[in-house]
Amino acid sequence: MGQAIRSVRYQPPPGVTGEAELTSVARMRVRGGPREFDAPQRLGFDLLVVVEAGRAVHTVDFTGHPLAPGDVLWVRAGQVQQWGAVADLEGPVLLFTPSAIDPGTWELIRTAGVATPNHWAAATVAGTPAAAALTAALATASAQVAGLRDAALARALAAALLLLVLAVPEGSGRRAPTHPAFVWFRDELEKEFRSRHQVTAYAARLGYSTRTLNRLARENTGLSAKQLIDERIVLEAKRLLAHGPDPVARIAADLGFEDASNFSKYFNHRTGTTPAAFRDRVRGTADER
């Protein structure tokens, strides 16, 4: 039958007063219990893992990331993740809410690249300023004076995240957006994709022509603005179909479609399969595991 997405909120343990917490994979296993990591999770906070030992495949929004010693994994709030062999992994983990990072740094992170990855291989990070910044952030998080620790950790973590984004190799496709309007469109799409399905709606809201949005989308991603809108809607549909208990009709309504038939045609046209067939295939694969 598949496993429903479990929403996980940030709930720091006693003694943690800020919006960021240093823990470890080992402590998370103890705190959560053996069943905590079985089902898919939609995080209400960010999770940053520095792998020190072990190997596992960690899935984020249908992409499996093979983790090995030295790798860094950053799962962001709102993404759907599923742990693999969590018992085989060891290493420090930083849990933090988006509000732990100052708005100025978030703006720099958002404009540093068109897309931020979830996984950095050890060879990408080793010897870079990002590695040193991560070490500093972990050391700061271990400080004993809570008030000073919280403020210092927020600054150290912000620096580490920004340097981590900048550590993505140029050959991987990382590049800064060509125009602020694309960043605005991307942010607006994330907020409004359930109710706004047409490029004209975003163009009117942002004060740009549809031609301009399409040009900027193609310059930054190789896709049209409509293709980016469809991509985001389909991602959410796949999340709900693969992990949620709701019938197709309810998912259709949640994503702004007037009826299940229109949604099924839309999904089939963009994925080559019906929502029901996609759900059966993904859940059948999960059950086999």
Side-chain angles (χ1 to χ4, degrees):
M1 293 295 294
Q3 295 171 301
I5 304 174
R6 198 171 78 77
S7 295
V8 183
R9 296 183 295 112
Y10 180 63
Q11 295 180 308
V16 175
T17 57
E19 295 293 310
E21 170 198 352
L22 172 64
T23 183
S24 68
V25 178
R27 288 198 293 272
M28 287 177 62
R29 288 196 298 263
V30 172
R31 197 159 100 188
R35 302 304 300 274
E36 172 69 21
F37 306 96
D38 291 346
Q41 302 170 329
R42 189 193 296 266
L43 301 183
F45 54 90
D46 286 40
L47 175 147
L48 189 71
V49 182
V50 180
V51 182
E52 290 184 339
R55 296 178 183 272
V57 176
H58 194 104
T59 302
V60 183
D61 282 330
F62 305 100
T63 298
H65 301 285
L67 303 181
D71 288 9
V72 177
L73 176 78
W74 179 9
V75 184
R76 290 175 289 283
Q79 293 190 301
V80 175
Q81 68 161 2
Q82 186 150 19
W83 293 84
V86 66
D88 296 340
L89 290 178
E90 300 296 343
V93 180
L94 282 163
L95 311 177
F96 57 97
T97 66
S99 61
I101 309 302
D102 66 278
T105 300
W106 275 130
E107 182 67 18
L108 290 172
I109 290 171
R110 288 166 57 249
T111 57
V114 171
T116 300
N118 292 110
H119 176 222
W120 286 258
T124 302
V125 181
T128 67
L134 281 170
T135 300
L138 294 172
T140 302
S142 300
Q144 298 301 312
V145 183
L148 295 176
R149 178 192 62 208
D150 294 342
L153 175 56
R155 291 179 174 83
L157 181 57
L161 295 176
L162 180 57
L163 289 169
L164 194 60
V165 170
L166 296 175
V168 178
E170 292 294 340
S172 67
R174 180 188 70 79
R175 52 193 172 83
T178 59
H179 194 282
F182 177 76
V183 179
W184 300 337
F185 169 61
R186 185 181 61 187
D187 293 348
E188 195 68 18
L189 173 58
E190 186 60 30
K191 292 186 295 185
E192 303 290 343
F193 70 88
R194 286 181 173 85
S195 58
R196 301 179 190 274
H197 295 181
Q198 302 302 321
V199 179
T200 52
Y202 292 93
R205 188 169 179 84
L206 298 173
Y208 287 89
S209 67
T210 57
R211 182 177 179 180
T212 297
L213 284 188
N214 276 309
R215 175 176 58 80
L216 292 174
R218 290 191 185 282
E219 286 177 358
N220 284 277
T221 67
L223 302 176
S224 69
K226 184 64 169 74
Q227 286 174 314
L228 292 177
I229 294 169
D230 290 343
E231 185 177 72
R232 184 62 185 88
I233 295 169
V234 168
L235 171 60
E236 197 66 25
K238 286 181 174 180
R239 288 171 172 174
L240 297 173
L241 289 165
H243 306 302
D246 289 340
V248 171
R250 185 171 299 174
I251 292 173
D254 180 60
L255 294 176
F257 291 86
E258 292 183 356
D259 57 58
S261 177
N262 285 339
F263 169 64
S264 293
K265 291 176 182 176
Y266 174 94
F267 188 88
N268 192 8
H269 179 69
R270 287 155 183 81
T271 66
T273 187
T274 65
F278 173 82
R279 169 174 269 172
D280 290 344
R281 176 173 61 81
V282 173
R283 292 190 171 185
T285 303
D287 290 342
E288 288 172 7
R289 292 199 299 267

